[in-house]
Amino acid sequence: MQSSHPTTLDEPGELADDIELQAEQIRRERMSKRAKAQQEAERALTRSGTVLSRADDSPLVGNLIGEDHVNYVLMYNMLTGIRIAVSRCQAKIRRPLTDEDYTARHKYSFDIVGNELTPSAKYDFKFKDYAPWVFRELREDYFHVDPADYLLSLTAKYILSELGSPGKSGSFFYFSRDYRFIIKTIHYAEHKFLRRILKQYHEHVKNNPHTLLSRFYGLHRVKLPHGRKIHFVIMNNLFPAHKDIHETYDLKGSTVGREYPEEKAAQNPRAVLKDLNWINRGKTLELGPEKRALLTEQLRRDSELLKEIGVMDYSLLIGIHNMRRGNRDNVRRNTLRVFAPDMPLISRKKTKGPKSPEAIALRRIMREADPQSLGDTTIVLPEEDTGERQHFLFYQDEGGLRATDELNESMDTIYYLGVIDILTPYNTLKKLEHFWKGLSADRHKISPVPPIEYAGRFFAFMKAVMRGGEGGERFKVKTE
């Protein structure tokens, strides 16, 4: 006979069954409503570089992401996963790295019910955190990123821009709320390659604290239900939050097909220009003897590593800020929007975790970082350098490298530069591309060339376009 009295807390089995039934019903309802949205999100994130074709017609700016936006589900999952995974590792007491740390991967499952390890979440998804101890050491010891700032910056609000990378990889970029960090979706091959070279990368950063290579702060993966796996990295943003960038160049040392149409550039001040634009405009990296020698040496060291790990297709990204022009054009504010998803507060069972001051402070920051408590979604970008780049030689002048004359006196230009797209190995596909493009153009001037030749050409080009160099004309294809 069925009991006539209501279920109480004294009947844990029935209560658990009831909760599970309710959870299952909620899951079914949620999945039916959001299946279409998730499929759209997956298609958008896994489509090729053709997504970037819109940028050819007009400048593509960020969009405010609400629940109806195609990338809302992914953004919510990224934010939640980063928040939990990074805080878990961060709250533990530091220890020396082991070989196993470079290949480690920590798994988290999120659903509406939640458990002792993860809070309840709005969507069902799985999250992986790769080599968390290695990236923690890179962030804290070599990149001088404050752990509390890192968590707060990444998990509070996002500034979203769906502009692709200069290399047309088809990746999406998501900027942290203070514009310091970038979340970039990457292909599985790039993800696998970064894991393979992580130990060499870590060693290089350790020995070259002023490296110009992209700074990787974390490597993660999100898996949507019945969907594809989305891999992404967290990186430094080369360009500052407090300065407008008036010209941007992506330089490889290759001159075949490396020109952005000047008529389009005139209509699009945010266009990423290329090697031939730089040469034809007569541009020079205006650096005096002291800075020129330091930059040349660091580029030599970095290109040696890139040659050693067998990559190509990387480039030197240069953003130019004209100090006389300043920020009067409001380039930054005209291109950024904010993403602030509605998320539940983290709640879980109390554990006997570390009671160090660092752990207590991090837990407090995690509570305070809840997006709901931040209220207004208006972003106010700073008008002065926040100072965190001062540790690095090439980012000490207002977060960049200020031009100097031959007496090493300051000029009115600041360069923001770094070596990007360093995860493309010279594989079979690139060898075929080298062969195919070499049939119709000078095979030494096309972009895909073997790593040793690529590194040599890249370094020679960068030296040539600095003041005192021979210029970039000799790198152009000779016409009959």
Side-chain angles (χ1 to χ4, degrees):
M1 182 185 299
Q2 191 174 19
S3 173
S4 58
H5 63 80
T7 302
T8 69
L9 291 174
D10 295 327
E11 298 166 321
E14 291 183 34
L15 181 60
D17 290 344
D18 187 50
I19 290 173
E20 188 56 43
L21 283 170
Q22 289 185 37
E24 185 59 35
Q25 183 179 351
I26 292 169
R27 281 196 196 98
R28 282 198 301 269
E29 290 174 359
R30 186 175 70 252
M31 287 301 293
S32 64
K33 288 178 181 177
R34 298 198 174 98
K36 186 176 179 181
Q38 290 197 351
Q39 287 170 4
E40 286 294 320
E42 292 160 23
R43 278 199 294 270
L45 286 158
T46 55
R47 64 183 182 249
S48 68
T50 55
V51 70
L52 304 175
S53 61
R54 288 177 294 170
D56 293 338
D57 300 323
S58 61
L60 183 63
V61 300
N63 297 302
L64 180 63
I65 292 193
E67 288 204 49
D68 57 341
H69 191 282
V70 69
N71 288 336
Y72 177 84
V73 174
L74 177 79
M75 290 296 294
Y76 177 94
N77 296 348
M78 281 179 168
L79 187 150
T80 307
I82 292 169
R83 190 176 179 194
I84 300 307
V86 173
S87 64
R88 287 281 189 274
C89 178
Q90 209 69 56
K92 295 175 183 175
I93 298 170
R94 285 286 299 271
R95 60 171 176 76
L97 292 180
T98 65
D99 285 342
E100 289 72 30
D101 287 324
Y102 292 94
T103 55
R105 46 189 178 176
H106 296 184
K107 301 178 183 179
Y108 300 87
S109 291
F110 293 85
D111 58 34
I112 197 166
V113 178
N115 56 53
E116 193 168 333
L117 290 177
T118 58
S120 63
K122 201 169 184 178
Y123 304 98
D124 294 348
F125 68 96
K126 296 184 186 300
F127 189 88
K128 269 190 185 178
D129 187 18
Y130 294 92
W133 286 94
V134 177
F135 286 108
R136 178 181 174 180
E137 183 171 295
L138 283 169
R139 290 193 304 266
E140 293 182 16
D141 292 358
Y142 307 118
F143 298 148
H144 301 280
V145 174
D146 180 86
D149 281 353
Y150 183 69
L151 280 171
L152 189 60
S153 174
L154 281 170
T155 64
K157 292 181 183 178
Y158 284 93
I159 304 171
L160 169 66
S161 173
E162 291 181 347
L163 286 168
S165 69
K168 296 185 180 178
S169 66
S171 297
F172 287 84
F173 289 87
Y174 305 93
F175 294 92
S176 64
R177 71 187 184 99
D178 53 11
Y179 206 45
R180 287 168 58 195
F181 306 114
I182 295 175
I183 294 178
K184 178 187 177 185
T185 62
I186 59 175
H187 299 297
Y188 175 63
E190 294 174 298
H191 157 91
K192 200 163 64 169
F193 185 72
L194 177 55
R195 293 185 68 201
R196 182 153 63 93
I197 64 158
L198 186 56
K199 196 165 188 177
Q200 290 164 282
Y201 174 81
H202 177 271
E203 190 66 21
H204 181 77
V205 170
K206 181 179 176 181
N207 296 328
N208 294 274
H210 305 294
T211 179
L212 293 159
L213 300 182
S214 297
R215 294 168 188 235
F216 296 117
Y217 299 135
L219 177 63
H220 310 284
R221 190 208 75 187
V222 162
K223 183 183 178 185
L224 303 175
H226 313 295
R228 299 208 177 204
K229 300 166 183 176
I230 311 300
H231 299 88
F232 61 97
V233 288
I234 303 172
M235 308 162 54
N236 63 313
N237 183 9
L238 274 178
F239 296 161
H242 69 293
K243 296 288 184 189
D244 281 350
I245 299 299
H246 301 121
E247 288 180 78
T248 306
Y249 291 88
D250 180 72
L251 305 180
K252 290 185 175 183
S254 164
T255 52
V256 175
R258 297 285 300 161
E259 183 172 22
Y260 187 91
E262 286 290 351
E263 60 274 14
K264 287 187 178 181
Q267 303 300 317
N268 181 8
R270 290 180 295 274
V272 178
L273 308 176
K274 300 179 182 180
D275 302 68
L276 285 173
N277 300 100
W278 178 280
I279 295 169
N280 294 336
R281 290 185 177 195
K283 303 293 289 187
T284 301
L285 270 175
E286 299 288 356
L287 299 173
E290 188 177 301
K291 288 184 177 179
R292 192 163 65 231
L294 291 169
L295 182 63
T296 301
E297 175 58 18
Q298 190 58 59
L299 282 169
R300 185 192 66 79
R301 294 185 185 189
D302 289 340
S303 56
E304 282 296 318
L305 172 78
L306 298 174
K307 179 169 64 176
E308 184 183 320
I309 62 177
V311 296
M312 38 75 70
D313 250 2
Y314 48 87
S315 53
L316 184 70
L317 185 65
I318 303 176
I320 300 176
H321 173 78
N322 184 318
M323 297 177 74
R324 292 183 183 178
R325 195 167 156 192
N327 290 342
R328 66 170 177 255
D329 298 331
N330 286 331
V331 174
R332 298 160 300 150
R333 289 186 183 85
N334 293 336
T335 56
L336 302 176
R337 299 291 184 273
V338 177
F339 163 67
D342 186 27
M343 288 180 57
L345 282 163
I346 293 178
S347 58
R348 56 180 181 272
K349 295 179 184 177
K350 290 184 178 179
T351 58
K352 297 179 180 178
K355 296 189 178 181
S356 67
E358 182 184 21
I360 293 167
L362 280 166
R363 287 195 183 97
R364 187 186 71 250
I365 285 159
M366 289 305 294
R367 288 194 299 272
E368 293 172 354
D370 180 74
Q372 295 182 38
S373 68
L374 289 166
D376 186 15
T377 59
T378 301
I379 205 74
V380 179
L381 292 169
E383 291 298 327
E384 57 185 34
D385 184 23
T386 51
E388 73 273 1
R389 301 189 188 204
Q390 294 301 312
H391 299 280
F392 308 109
L393 196 58
F394 304 109
Y395 306 100
Q396 289 181 342
D397 306 324
E398 292 284 346
L401 184 67
R402 189 165 177 177
T404 51
D405 61 22
E406 283 304 296
L407 298 176
N408 297 313
E409 296 295 328
S410 295
M411 298 171 66
D412 58 6
T413 300
I414 302 177
Y415 299 111
Y416 295 92
L417 40 77
V419 180
I420 63 167
D421 293 339
I422 64 171
L423 299 178
T424 306
Y426 190 62
N427 54 22
T428 304
L429 190 62
K430 286 296 179 183
K431 289 174 184 175
L432 287 171
E433 188 183 346
H434 170 72
F435 173 77
W436 181 253
K437 288 187 174 179
L439 293 176
S440 56
D442 185 337
R443 65 181 56 217
H444 298 294
K445 290 180 168 52
I446 58 176
S447 180
V449 295
I452 293 175
E453 182 180 350
Y454 194 100
R457 184 183 67 187
F458 175 81
F459 182 58
F461 183 84
M462 300 315 155
K463 282 200 303 180
V465 299
M466 293 183 202
R467 188 195 299 129
E470 57 190 306
E473 284 293 331
R474 79 172 179 89
F475 290 85
K476 293 171 73 172
V477 177
K478 290 186 174 65
T479 54
E480 296 298 334

